[in-house]
Amino acid sequence: MSIVLAGGAGFIGCKLVAHFLGLGQHVLVLDNLCRGKQEYIQDLQPQAHVHFVNIDLANTEKTLQTIRDFHAKYPVQAVWHMAANSDIPAGIADANVDLNDTFMTTFSLLQAMKALGLKNLAFASSSAVYGDHGPTCKLHENIGPLLPISNYGAMKLASEALISAAAESWLQGAWLFRFPNVVGVPATHGVILDFIRKLRATPGELQVLGNGTQQKAYLHVEDLVEAMLFIVAHAKEKVNVFNIGPEDAGCTVAQIASETVAKVQPSAAIRYGEEPRGWVGDVPKFLYSVEKLAALGWKPRHSSLETVRRAVAEIAGQEAD
């Protein structure tokens, strides 16, 4: 048996590739390398079980042909869809970015799966589908209406809807993971990486977008992968929607800035902006409910702040190499 892993050369995807290789499975990695790097998977063993294709997943015909060829040699058990645009400001500036990289990737994969009779899909969604319900409203899986404030969130929500419709007619099982902010290595984007690179460029000060009060939940990538695998193993509805995150209220951008400066440039001054959010489409504060996941039987090992401290050390080491 084998796995198709869209976005498998990315930050999260490469961890999943390693997991499935450890189970002795062949993995078809589909990635356009806009964020991911082939080097993240090139040393994984056994390398003969890694089948990498640099592909624009929005190309429905090419996606179908690529998966068909692989499926003929290594029958596919499930598709894991981790591919998306992760640059929210870029999607705000040009809506085509998220249309192509976040939604059309889902459309193409579903078209290919239907044509080939592949009936199990695990999908990386996001807390961005909820929109901004305010800092005191706890976001649980049944809350509504869902009104995203970024094109990224809108295309993730549209993807969820498309998967739900497919489950009504032909999908056998779908697992929709609503991510918090995920950190760790190999880091390709995110606030910690941005802060470290800013401090390398200007060691005397750190300029922060927004006033530092933005507060969100943070989860380490290793915990995230463990949670996703646990959900697929234990959640048995046709469509399974789960928030994944820590059990706390998160930590602030000011805390992240302080932790990063202390590790990278202890003498640097921190300069904050005046706005309560970092960019258009950013939800500055939200509370994330993970009670459903806890009831299923999984809890993270670390708090948001513990996760941030670990990630700062890891990413600082990555950037020093």
Side-chain angles (χ1 to χ4, degrees), residues 92-306:
I92 295 292
D94 180 3
N96 288 298
V97 172
D98 280 307
L99 175 63
N100 291 327
D101 292 348
T102 305
F103 179 73
M104 285 304 299
T105 54
T106 307
F107 178 84
S108 291
L109 284 169
L110 284 170
Q111 290 290 97
M113 290 176 66
K114 184 177 182 181
L116 298 173
L118 308 179
K119 297 181 180 296
N120 293 293
L121 175 65
F123 173 65
S125 189
S126 169
S127 59
V129 302
Y130 290 109
D132 191 350
H133 289 260
T136 62
C137 178
K138 205 160 191 180
L139 302 177
H140 58 82
E141 291 85 349
N142 294 323
I143 201 169
L146 301 182
L147 300 172
I149 62 172
S150 66
N151 288 326
Y152 170 78
M155 294 299 96
K156 283 292 189 183
L157 183 56
S159 293
E160 285 194 10
L162 200 63
I163 294 167
S164 175
E168 179 64 21
S169 58
W170 60 270
L171 265 183
Q172 180 177 314
W175 294 267
L176 312 181
F177 314 116
R178 291 178 178 168
F179 291 0
N181 284 26
V182 183
V183 293
V185 289
T188 61
H189 63 283
V191 63
I192 297 174
L193 182 62
D194 287 346
F195 283 174
I196 290 172
R197 288 180 173 173
K198 284 182 177 180
L199 286 168
R200 301 290 191 211
T202 56
E205 68 173 23
L206 174 63
Q207 290 285 346
V208 177
L209 296 176
N211 60 16
T213 62
Q214 307 98 302
Q215 183 170 334
K216 301 175 185 180
Y218 287 82
L219 188 71
H220 195 275
V221 62
E222 292 179 3
D223 281 344
L224 175 74
V225 169
E226 181 183 295
M228 288 191 292
L229 294 167
F230 184 90
I231 291 168
V232 170
H234 294 88
K236 300 302 182 182
E237 301 295 328
K238 181 174 283 190
V239 179
N240 305 275
V241 182
F242 281 87
N243 290 345
I244 303 178
E247 296 183 295
D248 56 68
C251 60
T252 66
V253 168
Q255 288 176 302
I256 298 171
S258 295
E259 294 289 338
T260 307
V261 165
K263 178 67 179 180
V264 179
Q265 293 289 347
S267 62
I270 303 175
R271 312 291 186 195
Y272 293 101
E274 297 181 358
E275 296 297 321
R277 67 179 70 213
W279 55 83
V280 174
D282 180 33
V283 179
K285 290 185 180 181
F286 63 87
L287 291 174
Y288 213 36
S289 168
V290 291
E291 281 85 353
K292 183 178 178 181
L293 181 53
L296 190 67
W298 188 88
K299 293 185 179 183
R301 297 186 184 91
H302 307 291
S303 68
S304 288
L305 188 54
E306 290 168 342

Side-chain angles (χ1 to χ4, degrees), residues 12 16 52 80 149 204 240 269:
I12 297 169
L16 285 164
F52 173 76
W80 284 67
I149 62 172
N240 305 275

Side-chain angles (χ1 to χ4, degrees), residues 3-6 26-30 49 51-53 66-67 70:
I3 298 292
V4 173
L5 219 162
H26 286 260
V27 183
L28 174 61
V29 177
L30 305 175
H49 285 197
H51 308 264
F52 173 76
V53 178
T66 302
I67 298 176
F70 178 75

